[in-house]
Amino acid sequence: MNHANPSVLFVCVHNAGRSQMAAGFLRALSGGAVDVRSAGSLPAEHINPVAVEAMREVGIDIRAERPKVLTTDAVRDSDVVITMGCGDACPIFPGKRYEDWELADPAGQGLAAVRPIRDEIHTRIRALLTDLGVDPVEPTPAG
């Protein structure tokens, strides 16, 4: 790897909910110390509006994000690949760290059901930052 920062790729099927929330948390909490990517094996047309709302509640704006298709390059260029229920769609490269996070799918769920998923992702992102040796940045409350 010829880049200074560790890089993490989050993959789920639609790249509209879980992977976008995870990427949003990692971007915010790493303060730029981690290169963050997310993608889907069958990307949706739009990001899940309930995921956007759930993240807004914790001060992270992911409205501008768009679902992207998973590419082999994205996997090859990442140090850590975290899958969220995308099964065998993710190409495997030797020497990468792979984790599979079992998380409920927020698709079609209301805000009350998505909040615990968001909070679980937040907890896992903090643990990931610790593993990567990156101190989490505390988000500044807006206002």
Side-chain angles (χ1 to χ4, degrees):
M1 291 287 155
N2 58 4
H3 48 77
N5 294 346
S7 56
V8 176
L9 170 67
F10 296 102
V11 183
C12 65
V13 177
H14 300 303
N15 188 218
R18 292 167 288 192
S19 53
Q20 293 284 3
M21 288 193 286
F25 272 127
L26 187 54
R27 260 187 219 104
L29 294 172
S30 71
V34 178
D35 294 333
V36 182
R37 302 180 179 93
S38 71
S41 47
L42 289 167
E45 218 165 293
H46 304 287
I47 192 164
N48 179 339
V50 181
V52 170
E53 185 56 35
M55 293 300 284
R56 227 167 52 197
E57 287 185 342
V58 293
I60 298 173
D61 186 354
I62 59 171
R63 279 176 303 188
E65 298 300 324
R66 295 283 171 265
K68 291 174 284 303
V69 71
L70 176 64
T71 64
T72 305
D73 286 350
V75 177
R76 192 174 47 229
D77 295 343
S78 300
D79 300 314
V80 181
V81 179
I82 295 174
T83 57
M84 302 169 176
C86 69
D88 301 325
C90 304
I92 301 289
F93 287 93
K96 303 275 173 218
R97 173 172 158 192
Y98 290 89
E99 287 184 26
D100 186 53
W101 291 2
E102 296 220 2
L103 296 160
D105 189 346
Q109 304 279 350
L111 192 55
V114 173
R115 281 185 188 120
I117 302 169
R118 172 200 67 201
D119 295 343
E120 168 74 11
I121 291 170
H122 186 196
T123 301
R124 289 174 183 245
I125 292 295
R126 286 188 166 276
L128 177 65
L129 283 168
T130 301
D131 287 352
L132 295 173
V134 175
D135 289 329
V137 175
E138 289 311 319
T140 325

PDB file of all heavy atoms in Angstrom, residues 111-141:
ATOM      1  N   LEU A 111     -37.957   4.403  11.226  1.00  0.00           N
ATOM      2  CA  LEU A 111     -36.856   4.999  11.984  1.00  0.00           C
ATOM      3  C   LEU A 111     -36.598   4.258  13.297  1.00  0.00           C
ATOM      4  O   LEU A 111     -35.450   4.025  13.667  1.00  0.00           O
ATOM      5  CB  LEU A 111     -37.171   6.478  12.239  1.00  0.00           C
ATOM      6  CG  LEU A 111     -36.026   7.348  12.768  1.00  0.00           C
ATOM      7  CD1 LEU A 111     -34.803   7.265  11.866  1.00  0.00           C
ATOM      8  CD2 LEU A 111     -36.490   8.790  12.896  1.00  0.00           C
ATOM      9  N   ALA A 112     -37.668   3.855  13.988  1.00  0.00           N
ATOM     10  CA  ALA A 112     -37.505   3.172  15.283  1.00  0.00           C
ATOM     11  C   ALA A 112     -36.730   1.863  15.113  1.00  0.00           C
ATOM     12  O   ALA A 112     -35.961   1.473  15.995  1.00  0.00           O
ATOM     13  CB  ALA A 112     -38.867   2.896  15.909  1.00  0.00           C
ATOM     14  N   ALA A 113     -36.904   1.182  13.973  1.00  0.00           N
ATOM     15  CA  ALA A 113     -36.197  -0.079  13.729  1.00  0.00           C
ATOM     16  C   ALA A 113     -34.768   0.171  13.251  1.00  0.00           C
ATOM     17  O   ALA A 113     -33.888  -0.661  13.458  1.00  0.00           O
ATOM     18  CB  ALA A 113     -36.955  -0.910  12.689  1.00  0.00           C
ATOM     19  N   VAL A 114     -34.541   1.317  12.610  1.00  0.00           N
ATOM     20  CA  VAL A 114     -33.210   1.602  12.046  1.00  0.00           C
ATOM     21  C   VAL A 114     -32.259   2.140  13.117  1.00  0.00           C
ATOM     22  O   VAL A 114     -31.060   1.897  13.052  1.00  0.00           O
ATOM     23  CB  VAL A 114     -33.327   2.572  10.847  1.00  0.00           C
ATOM     24  CG1 VAL A 114     -31.958   3.021  10.355  1.00  0.00           C
ATOM     25  CG2 VAL A 114     -34.094   1.890   9.706  1.00  0.00           C
ATOM     26  N   ARG A 115     -32.788   2.812  14.140  1.00  0.00           N
ATOM     27  CA  ARG A 115     -31.914   3.373  15.186  1.00  0.00           C
ATOM     28  C   ARG A 115     -31.008   2.322  15.837  1.00  0.00           C
ATOM     29  O   ARG A 115     -29.811   2.568  15.982  1.00  0.00           O
ATOM     30  CB  ARG A 115     -32.748   4.064  16.262  1.00  0.00           C
ATOM     31  CG  ARG A 115     -33.210   5.432  15.846  1.00  0.00           C
ATOM     32  CD  ARG A 115     -33.947   6.129  17.000  1.00  0.00           C
ATOM     33  NE  ARG A 115     -34.541   7.360  16.526  1.00  0.00           N
ATOM     34  CZ  ARG A 115     -35.845   7.623  16.564  1.00  0.00           C
ATOM     35  NH1 ARG A 115     -36.700   6.749  17.056  1.00  0.00           N
ATOM     36  NH2 ARG A 115     -36.293   8.770  16.106  1.00  0.00           N
ATOM     37  N   PRO A 116     -31.548   1.149  16.259  1.00  0.00           N
ATOM     38  CA  PRO A 116     -30.639   0.166  16.868  1.00  0.00           C
ATOM     39  C   PRO A 116     -29.589  -0.353  15.886  1.00  0.00           C
ATOM     40  O   PRO A 116     -28.473  -0.673  16.292  1.00  0.00           O
ATOM     41  CB  PRO A 116     -31.558  -0.960  17.349  1.00  0.00           C
ATOM     42  CG  PRO A 116     -32.929  -0.644  16.868  1.00  0.00           C
ATOM     43  CD  PRO A 116     -32.953   0.757  16.361  1.00  0.00           C
ATOM     44  N   ILE A 117     -29.921  -0.444  14.606  1.00  0.00           N
ATOM     45  CA  ILE A 117     -28.944  -0.865  13.587  1.00  0.00           C
ATOM     46  C   ILE A 117     -27.841   0.195  13.520  1.00  0.00           C
ATOM     47  O   ILE A 117     -26.649  -0.121  13.539  1.00  0.00           O
ATOM     48  CB  ILE A 117     -29.609  -1.044  12.203  1.00  0.00           C
ATOM     49  CG1 ILE A 117     -30.748  -2.069  12.265  1.00  0.00           C
ATOM     50  CG2 ILE A 117     -28.570  -1.436  11.152  1.00  0.00           C
ATOM     51  CD1 ILE A 117     -31.623  -2.118  11.013  1.00  0.00           C
ATOM     52  N   ARG A 118     -28.266   1.468  13.467  1.00  0.00           N
ATOM     53  CA  ARG A 118     -27.306   2.573  13.431  1.00  0.00           C
ATOM     54  C   ARG A 118     -26.380   2.521  14.651  1.00  0.00           C
ATOM     55  O   ARG A 118     -25.160   2.656  14.529  1.00  0.00           O
ATOM     56  CB  ARG A 118     -28.071   3.901  13.427  1.00  0.00           C
ATOM     57  CG  ARG A 118     -27.177   5.134  13.582  1.00  0.00           C
ATOM     58  CD  ARG A 118     -27.970   6.338  14.061  1.00  0.00           C
ATOM     59  NE  ARG A 118     -28.456   6.156  15.431  1.00  0.00           N
ATOM     60  CZ  ARG A 118     -29.477   6.821  15.954  1.00  0.00           C
ATOM     61  NH1 ARG A 118     -30.143   7.707  15.235  1.00  0.00           N
ATOM     62  NH2 ARG A 118     -29.843   6.617  17.208  1.00  0.00           N
ATOM     63  N   ASP A 119     -26.956   2.282  15.833  1.00  0.00           N
ATOM     64  CA  ASP A 119     -26.157   2.289  17.052  1.00  0.00           C
ATOM     65  C   ASP A 119     -25.188   1.115  17.092  1.00  0.00           C
ATOM     66  O   ASP A 119     -24.057   1.249  17.573  1.00  0.00           O
ATOM     67  CB  ASP A 119     -27.075   2.291  18.284  1.00  0.00           C
ATOM     68  CG  ASP A 119     -27.902   3.582  18.366  1.00  0.00           C
ATOM     69  OD1 ASP A 119     -27.547   4.577  17.682  1.00  0.00           O
ATOM     70  OD2 ASP A 119     -28.906   3.595  19.104  1.00  0.00           O
ATOM     71  N   GLU A 120     -25.613  -0.030  16.577  1.00  0.00           N
ATOM     72  CA  GLU A 120     -24.737  -1.203  16.483  1.00  0.00           C
ATOM     73  C   GLU A 120     -23.562  -0.899  15.547  1.00  0.00           C
ATOM     74  O   GLU A 120     -22.409  -1.227  15.840  1.00  0.00           O
ATOM     75  CB  GLU A 120     -25.553  -2.402  15.988  1.00  0.00           C
ATOM     76  CG  GLU A 120     -24.736  -3.611  15.572  1.00  0.00           C
ATOM     77  CD  GLU A 120     -24.134  -4.382  16.745  1.00  0.00           C
ATOM     78  OE1 GLU A 120     -24.493  -4.121  17.906  1.00  0.00           O
ATOM     79  OE2 GLU A 120     -23.280  -5.245  16.475  1.00  0.00           O
ATOM     80  N   ILE A 121     -23.857  -0.253  14.409  1.00  0.00           N
ATOM     81  CA  ILE A 121     -22.801   0.123  13.463  1.00  0.00           C
ATOM     82  C   ILE A 121     -21.826   1.087  14.141  1.00  0.00           C
ATOM     83  O   ILE A 121     -20.606   0.935  14.028  1.00  0.00           O
ATOM     84  CB  ILE A 121     -23.409   0.748  12.188  1.00  0.00           C
ATOM     85  CG1 ILE A 121     -24.160  -0.316  11.380  1.00  0.00           C
ATOM     86  CG2 ILE A 121     -22.321   1.408  11.329  1.00  0.00           C
ATOM     87  CD1 ILE A 121     -24.993   0.234  10.224  1.00  0.00           C
ATOM     88  N   HIS A 122     -22.352   2.053  14.885  1.00  0.00           N
ATOM     89  CA  HIS A 122     -21.515   3.031  15.586  1.00  0.00           C
ATOM     90  C   HIS A 122     -20.537   2.320  16.525  1.00  0.00           C
ATOM     91  O   HIS A 122     -19.336   2.612  16.540  1.00  0.00           O
ATOM     92  CB  HIS A 122     -22.426   3.993  16.358  1.00  0.00           C
ATOM     93  CG  HIS A 122     -21.693   5.123  17.001  1.00  0.00           C
ATOM     94  ND1 HIS A 122     -22.251   5.893  17.989  1.00  0.00           N
ATOM     95  CD2 HIS A 122     -20.451   5.623  16.811  1.00  0.00           C
ATOM     96  CE1 HIS A 122     -21.372   6.813  18.380  1.00  0.00           C
ATOM     97  NE2 HIS A 122     -20.278   6.666  17.671  1.00  0.00           N
ATOM     98  N   THR A 123     -21.046   1.360  17.303  1.00  0.00           N
ATOM     99  CA  THR A 123     -20.209   0.592  18.234  1.00  0.00           C
ATOM    100  C   THR A 123     -19.110  -0.148  17.482  1.00  0.00           C
ATOM    101  O   THR A 123     -17.942  -0.147  17.889  1.00  0.00           O
ATOM    102  CB  THR A 123     -21.092  -0.419  19.015  1.00  0.00           C
ATOM    103  OG1 THR A 123     -22.097   0.321  19.712  1.00  0.00           O
ATOM    104  CG2 THR A 123     -20.276  -1.229  19.996  1.00  0.00           C
ATOM    105  N   ARG A 124     -19.480  -0.785  16.372  1.00  0.00           N
ATOM    106  CA  ARG A 124     -18.497  -1.548  15.596  1.00  0.00           C
ATOM    107  C   ARG A 124     -17.447  -0.643  14.964  1.00  0.00           C
ATOM    108  O   ARG A 124     -16.279  -1.023  14.858  1.00  0.00           O
ATOM    109  CB  ARG A 124     -19.210  -2.371  14.522  1.00  0.00           C
ATOM    110  CG  ARG A 124     -19.990  -3.540  15.112  1.00  0.00           C
ATOM    111  CD  ARG A 124     -20.793  -4.218  14.021  1.00  0.00           C
ATOM    112  NE  ARG A 124     -21.606  -5.299  14.541  1.00  0.00           N
ATOM    113  CZ  ARG A 124     -21.426  -6.583  14.212  1.00  0.00           C
ATOM    114  NH1 ARG A 124     -20.460  -6.928  13.386  1.00  0.00           N
ATOM    115  NH2 ARG A 124     -22.211  -7.504  14.695  1.00  0.00           N
ATOM    116  N   ILE A 125     -17.869   0.546  14.519  1.00  0.00           N
ATOM    117  CA  ILE A 125     -16.920   1.484  13.916  1.00  0.00           C
ATOM    118  C   ILE A 125     -15.893   1.937  14.956  1.00  0.00           C
ATOM    119  O   ILE A 125     -14.697   2.038  14.672  1.00  0.00           O
ATOM    120  CB  ILE A 125     -17.659   2.708  13.309  1.00  0.00           C
ATOM    121  CG1 ILE A 125     -18.482   2.294  12.091  1.00  0.00           C
ATOM    122  CG2 ILE A 125     -16.662   3.823  12.945  1.00  0.00           C
ATOM    123  CD1 ILE A 125     -17.702   1.790  10.898  1.00  0.00           C
ATOM    124  N   ARG A 126     -16.351   2.198  16.177  1.00  0.00           N
ATOM    125  CA  ARG A 126     -15.411   2.588  17.238  1.00  0.00           C
ATOM    126  C   ARG A 126     -14.393   1.477  17.497  1.00  0.00           C
ATOM    127  O   ARG A 126     -13.209   1.752  17.682  1.00  0.00           O
ATOM    128  CB  ARG A 126     -16.171   2.939  18.518  1.00  0.00           C
ATOM    129  CG  ARG A 126     -16.867   4.281  18.407  1.00  0.00           C
ATOM    130  CD  ARG A 126     -17.450   4.723  19.745  1.00  0.00           C
ATOM    131  NE  ARG A 126     -17.804   6.120  19.684  1.00  0.00           N
ATOM    132  CZ  ARG A 126     -16.970   7.129  19.886  1.00  0.00           C
ATOM    133  NH1 ARG A 126     -15.710   6.897  20.173  1.00  0.00           N
ATOM    134  NH2 ARG A 126     -17.367   8.373  19.801  1.00  0.00           N
ATOM    135  N   ALA A 127     -14.853   0.230  17.515  1.00  0.00           N
ATOM    136  CA  ALA A 127     -13.942  -0.901  17.725  1.00  0.00           C
ATOM    137  C   ALA A 127     -12.955  -1.013  16.554  1.00  0.00           C
ATOM    138  O   ALA A 127     -11.766  -1.281  16.752  1.00  0.00           O
ATOM    139  CB  ALA A 127     -14.742  -2.199  17.885  1.00  0.00           C
ATOM    140  N   LEU A 128     -13.446  -0.778  15.343  1.00  0.00           N
ATOM    141  CA  LEU A 128     -12.593  -0.830  14.156  1.00  0.00           C
ATOM    142  C   LEU A 128     -11.508   0.238  14.230  1.00  0.00           C
ATOM    143  O   LEU A 128     -10.335  -0.020  13.939  1.00  0.00           O
ATOM    144  CB  LEU A 128     -13.450  -0.645  12.898  1.00  0.00           C
ATOM    145  CG  LEU A 128     -12.694  -0.596  11.568  1.00  0.00           C
ATOM    146  CD1 LEU A 128     -12.014  -1.932  11.276  1.00  0.00           C
ATOM    147  CD2 LEU A 128     -13.647  -0.233  10.435  1.00  0.00           C
ATOM    148  N   LEU A 129     -11.875   1.450  14.633  1.00  0.00           N
ATOM    149  CA  LEU A 129     -10.892   2.536  14.771  1.00  0.00           C
ATOM    150  C   LEU A 129      -9.806   2.145  15.767  1.00  0.00           C
ATOM    151  O   LEU A 129      -8.619   2.370  15.524  1.00  0.00           O
ATOM    152  CB  LEU A 129     -11.577   3.831  15.213  1.00  0.00           C
ATOM    153  CG  LEU A 129     -12.327   4.573  14.115  1.00  0.00           C
ATOM    154  CD1 LEU A 129     -13.204   5.661  14.713  1.00  0.00           C
ATOM    155  CD2 LEU A 129     -11.378   5.164  13.079  1.00  0.00           C
ATOM    156  N   THR A 130     -10.215   1.532  16.881  1.00  0.00           N
ATOM    157  CA  THR A 130      -9.244   1.077  17.877  1.00  0.00           C
ATOM    158  C   THR A 130      -8.290   0.065  17.246  1.00  0.00           C
ATOM    159  O   THR A 130      -7.069   0.156  17.410  1.00  0.00           O
ATOM    160  CB  THR A 130      -9.981   0.449  19.082  1.00  0.00           C
ATOM    161  OG1 THR A 130     -10.848   1.441  19.631  1.00  0.00           O
ATOM    162  CG2 THR A 130      -9.006  -0.011  20.145  1.00  0.00           C
ATOM    163  N   ASP A 131      -8.853  -0.893  16.485  1.00  0.00           N
ATOM    164  CA  ASP A 131      -8.030  -1.903  15.803  1.00  0.00           C
ATOM    165  C   ASP A 131      -7.041  -1.263  14.841  1.00  0.00           C
ATOM    166  O   ASP A 131      -5.933  -1.744  14.665  1.00  0.00           O
ATOM    167  CB  ASP A 131      -8.902  -2.876  14.992  1.00  0.00           C
ATOM    168  CG  ASP A 131      -9.667  -3.847  15.877  1.00  0.00           C
ATOM    169  OD1 ASP A 131      -9.417  -3.866  17.103  1.00  0.00           O
ATOM    170  OD2 ASP A 131     -10.510  -4.578  15.336  1.00  0.00           O
ATOM    171  N   LEU A 132      -7.470  -0.176  14.182  1.00  0.00           N
ATOM    172  CA  LEU A 132      -6.615   0.496  13.191  1.00  0.00           C
ATOM    173  C   LEU A 132      -5.644   1.471  13.857  1.00  0.00           C
ATOM    174  O   LEU A 132      -4.828   2.085  13.178  1.00  0.00           O
ATOM    175  CB  LEU A 132      -7.479   1.254  12.173  1.00  0.00           C
ATOM    176  CG  LEU A 132      -8.375   0.406  11.264  1.00  0.00           C
ATOM    177  CD1 LEU A 132      -9.296   1.294  10.448  1.00  0.00           C
ATOM    178  CD2 LEU A 132      -7.546  -0.493  10.351  1.00  0.00           C
ATOM    179  N   GLY A 133      -5.767   1.631  15.168  1.00  0.00           N
ATOM    180  CA  GLY A 133      -4.889   2.547  15.877  1.00  0.00           C
ATOM    181  C   GLY A 133      -5.221   4.012  15.638  1.00  0.00           C
ATOM    182  O   GLY A 133      -4.347   4.871  15.710  1.00  0.00           O
ATOM    183  N   VAL A 134      -6.497   4.280  15.358  1.00  0.00           N
ATOM    184  CA  VAL A 134      -6.940   5.658  15.096  1.00  0.00           C
ATOM    185  C   VAL A 134      -7.816   6.109  16.261  1.00  0.00           C
ATOM    186  O   VAL A 134      -8.762   5.419  16.634  1.00  0.00           O
ATOM    187  CB  VAL A 134      -7.735   5.733  13.769  1.00  0.00           C
ATOM    188  CG1 VAL A 134      -8.305   7.137  13.561  1.00  0.00           C
ATOM    189  CG2 VAL A 134      -6.862   5.325  12.584  1.00  0.00           C
ATOM    190  N   ASP A 135      -7.493   7.260  16.833  1.00  0.00           N
ATOM    191  CA  ASP A 135      -8.323   7.812  17.909  1.00  0.00           C
ATOM    192  C   ASP A 135      -9.576   8.441  17.320  1.00  0.00           C
ATOM    193  O   ASP A 135      -9.460   9.279  16.428  1.00  0.00           O
ATOM    194  CB  ASP A 135      -7.556   8.877  18.702  1.00  0.00           C
ATOM    195  CG  ASP A 135      -6.452   8.255  19.544  1.00  0.00           C
ATOM    196  OD1 ASP A 135      -6.625   7.097  19.994  1.00  0.00           O
ATOM    197  OD2 ASP A 135      -5.421   8.925  19.743  1.00  0.00           O
ATOM    198  N   PRO A 136     -10.765   8.070  17.816  1.00  0.00           N
ATOM    199  CA  PRO A 136     -11.983   8.660  17.271  1.00  0.00           C
ATOM    200  C   PRO A 136     -12.065  10.160  17.553  1.00  0.00           C
ATOM    201  O   PRO A 136     -11.679  10.615  18.629  1.00  0.00           O
ATOM    202  CB  PRO A 136     -13.125   7.922  17.951  1.00  0.00           C
ATOM    203  CG  PRO A 136     -12.521   7.025  18.962  1.00  0.00           C
ATOM    204  CD  PRO A 136     -11.040   7.057  18.825  1.00  0.00           C
ATOM    205  N   VAL A 137     -12.540  10.885  16.576  1.00  0.00           N
ATOM    206  CA  VAL A 137     -12.781  12.313  16.716  1.00  0.00           C
ATOM    207  C   VAL A 137     -14.206  12.455  17.228  1.00  0.00           C
ATOM    208  O   VAL A 137     -15.110  11.845  16.674  1.00  0.00           O
ATOM    209  CB  VAL A 137     -12.667  12.990  15.324  1.00  0.00           C
ATOM    210  CG1 VAL A 137     -13.038  14.464  15.412  1.00  0.00           C
ATOM    211  CG2 VAL A 137     -11.290  12.797  14.739  1.00  0.00           C
ATOM    212  N   GLU A 138     -14.402  13.234  18.256  1.00  0.00           N
ATOM    213  CA  GLU A 138     -15.761  13.437  18.744  1.00  0.00           C
ATOM    214  C   GLU A 138     -16.448  14.466  17.874  1.00  0.00           C
ATOM    215  O   GLU A 138     -15.916  15.565  17.679  1.00  0.00           O
ATOM    216  CB  GLU A 138     -15.759  13.898  20.200  1.00  0.00           C
ATOM    217  CG  GLU A 138     -15.346  12.795  21.166  1.00  0.00           C
ATOM    218  CD  GLU A 138     -16.071  11.465  20.957  1.00  0.00           C
ATOM    219  OE1 GLU A 138     -17.284  11.457  20.699  1.00  0.00           O
ATOM    220  OE2 GLU A 138     -15.413  10.427  21.041  1.00  0.00           O
ATOM    221  N   PRO A 139     -17.594  14.120  17.281  1.00  0.00           N
ATOM    222  CA  PRO A 139     -18.285  15.095  16.433  1.00  0.00           C
ATOM    223  C   PRO A 139     -18.714  16.307  17.255  1.00  0.00           C
ATOM    224  O   PRO A 139     -19.113  16.174  18.396  1.00  0.00           O
ATOM    225  CB  PRO A 139     -19.490  14.342  15.879  1.00  0.00           C
ATOM    226  CG  PRO A 139     -19.536  13.032  16.578  1.00  0.00           C
ATOM    227  CD  PRO A 139     -18.289  12.864  17.388  1.00  0.00           C
ATOM    228  N   THR A 140     -18.587  17.466  16.651  1.00  0.00           N
ATOM    229  CA  THR A 140     -19.018  18.704  17.310  1.00  0.00           C
ATOM    230  C   THR A 140     -20.495  18.867  17.070  1.00  0.00           C
ATOM    231  O   THR A 140     -20.921  18.840  15.910  1.00  0.00           O
ATOM    232  CB  THR A 140     -18.263  19.905  16.710  1.00  0.00           C
ATOM    233  OG1 THR A 140     -16.940  19.491  16.388  1.00  0.00           O
ATOM    234  CG2 THR A 140     -18.217  21.060  17.669  1.00  0.00           C
ATOM    235  N   PRO A 141     -21.285  19.008  18.112  1.00  0.00           N
ATOM    236  CA  PRO A 141     -22.733  19.187  17.888  1.00  0.00           C
ATOM    237  C   PRO A 141     -22.999  20.442  17.067  1.00  0.00           C
ATOM    238  O   PRO A 141     -22.353  21.460  17.284  1.00  0.00           O
ATOM    239  CB  PRO A 141     -23.305  19.329  19.300  1.00  0.00           C
ATOM    240  CG  PRO A 141     -22.229  18.895  20.240  1.00  0.00           C
ATOM    241  CD  PRO A 141     -20.928  19.018  19.517  1.00  0.00           C
TER     242      PRO A 141
END
